[in-house]
Amino acid sequence: MLNCQQVTRLISESQEKEIPLMTRVSLKLHVMMCSGCRNFGDQMGFLRDVMRSYAKGKDEDSGK
């Protein structure tokens, strides 16, 4: 079973690269049981979406 430190590292890594299937399964299992790691994952997803929106807006501004 993964601990919280391993899970937060894997959540961060999964933003940049695909992680192996069995690791993803262990990650999902931990996140289902751990509200702290679930919140961390939600926050990382939110930040990713905000940065993508910001970058998209910057691209549109530079095209003018």
Side-chain angles (χ1 to χ4, degrees):
M1 184 69 147
L2 297 172
N3 63 36
C4 293
Q5 184 177 9
Q6 293 168 321
V7 168
T8 55
R9 181 183 50 81
L10 285 169
I11 289 171
S12 295
E13 284 181 13
S14 70
Q15 301 290 315
E16 300 174 18
K17 64 181 182 179
E18 188 164 339
I19 56 176
L21 176 61
M22 289 308 296
T23 304
R24 284 195 316 259
V25 170
S26 295
L27 177 65
K28 294 268 187 192
L29 182 62
H30 179 97
V31 169
M32 285 173 41
M33 297 185 297
C34 180
S35 63
C37 289
R38 188 169 42 253
N39 288 337
F40 179 80
D42 291 345
Q43 291 170 355
M44 290 295 290
F46 172 77
L47 289 172
R48 182 189 63 234
D49 294 343
V50 167
M51 293 307 294
R52 283 183 179 164
S53 294
Y54 177 76
K56 183 179 177 184
K58 288 297 257 188
D59 289 342
E60 290 173 0
D61 289 343
S62 65
K64 291 182 180 178

